[in-house]
């Protein structure tokens, strides 16, 4: 039963991102910030941290492809970046202690890498003309703050759910 909850959780996070983007006003707090929620990716990173690298990379590849198919004109940006960053995070977590504060900070680093990677790819293939400093001020910082607030709310439930999932995998 728990194996079916995991894909449903990630599907819910995928839909939550799109609902958040659809219903948040474009001018937040009087400024024209671009808020990019990465709730799904935060969940994938917590899965990678608290279960195993294998599950994290598999779910990252599946949902990276789904993200590319549904939202992006070019197949491959998220399909490559989701698993690659999940792999990097798993390597980083071999050095660090696995507690909720470290998982929170490492997940924010992963989200920051994702934002920078997507911007650089978009800039290289001329999808965006936004200069780097404008990107940092308009999208990078506001998106990190938004995702940090989400992680403050969701980190403990993610940790509990993924530890329980890892325990059920060991029992089999």
């Amino acid at each position: 039963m728990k194996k079916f909850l995991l894909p449903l959780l990630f599907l819910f996070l995928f839909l939550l991102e799109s609902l958040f983007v659809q219903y948040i006003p474009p001018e937040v707090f009087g400024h024209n910030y671009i808020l990019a929620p990465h709730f799904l990716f935060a969940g994938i990173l917590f899965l990678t941290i608290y279960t195993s690298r294998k599950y994290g990379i598999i779910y990252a590849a599946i949902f990276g492809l789904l993200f590319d198919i549904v939202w992006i004109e070019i197949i491959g940006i998220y399909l490559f970046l989701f698993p690659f960053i999940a792999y990097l995070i798993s390597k980083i977590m071999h050095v660090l202690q696995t507690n909720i504060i470290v998982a929170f900070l490492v997940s924010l680093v992963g989200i920051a890498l994702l934002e920078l990677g997507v911007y650089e790819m978009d800039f290289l293939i001329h999808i965006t003309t936004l200069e780097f400093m404008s990107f940092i001020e308009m999208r990078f910082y506001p998106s990190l703050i938004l995702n940090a607030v989400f992680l403050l709310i969701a980190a403990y439930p993610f940790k509990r759910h993924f530890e329980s999932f890892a325990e059920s995998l060991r029992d089999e």
Side-chain angles (χ1 to χ4, degrees):
M1 178 64 185
K2 287 189 179 194
K3 288 187 178 187
F4 293 113
L5 290 178
L6 203 57
L8 289 176
L9 170 68
F10 288 132
L11 193 59
F12 170 75
L13 291 172
F14 181 77
L15 294 173
L16 183 66
E17 282 184 15
S18 63
L19 288 173
F20 184 86
V21 169
Q22 186 174 0
Y23 291 113
I24 197 75
E27 287 198 12
V28 180
F29 306 115
H31 296 338
N32 198 16
Y33 293 129
I34 303 168
L35 295 175
H38 294 294
F39 308 150
L40 170 68
F41 190 60
I44 289 171
L45 292 179
F46 265 74
L47 174 73
T48 306
I49 291 167
Y50 284 107
T51 58
S52 71
R53 176 187 314 159
K54 180 180 100 172
Y55 276 96
I57 291 174
I58 288 170
Y59 276 94
I62 291 168
F63 281 96
L65 178 63
L66 180 66
F67 203 90
D68 278 340
I69 289 171
V70 173
W71 299 116
I72 309 300
E73 297 123 16
I74 300 158
I75 303 291
I77 293 176
Y78 288 94
L79 175 62
F80 170 73
L81 285 176
F82 274 20
F84 179 69
I85 295 172
Y87 176 78
L88 287 178
I89 295 302
S90 73
K91 286 298 195 181
I92 289 170
M93 291 310 293
H94 282 290
V95 177
L96 302 174
Q97 281 185 333
T98 304
N99 63 47
I100 198 160
I101 296 170
V102 171
F104 171 83
L105 293 173
V106 168
S107 294
L108 276 182
V109 168
I111 291 169
L113 288 173
L114 179 68
E115 278 290 316
L116 290 170
V118 169
Y119 168 76
E120 288 300 324
M121 292 298 290
D122 287 348
F123 192 76
L124 284 174
I125 57 178
H126 303 291
I127 289 178
T128 185
T129 57
L130 193 64
E131 292 298 319
F132 186 72
M133 288 312 294
S134 298
F135 160 76
I136 292 291
E137 293 168 7
M138 289 176 59
R139 180 174 169 145
F140 185 73
Y141 290 145
S143 294
L144 276 185
I145 291 169
L146 168 70
N147 289 292
V149 169
F150 172 76
L151 279 173
L152 282 175
I153 296 166
Y156 186 70
F158 278 169
K159 176 185 182 293
R160 296 267 317 227
H161 180 70
F162 295 139
E163 284 178 338
S164 146
F165 178 71
E167 187 66 31
S168 73
L169 290 176
R170 281 190 285 267
D171 291 342
E172 290 180 357

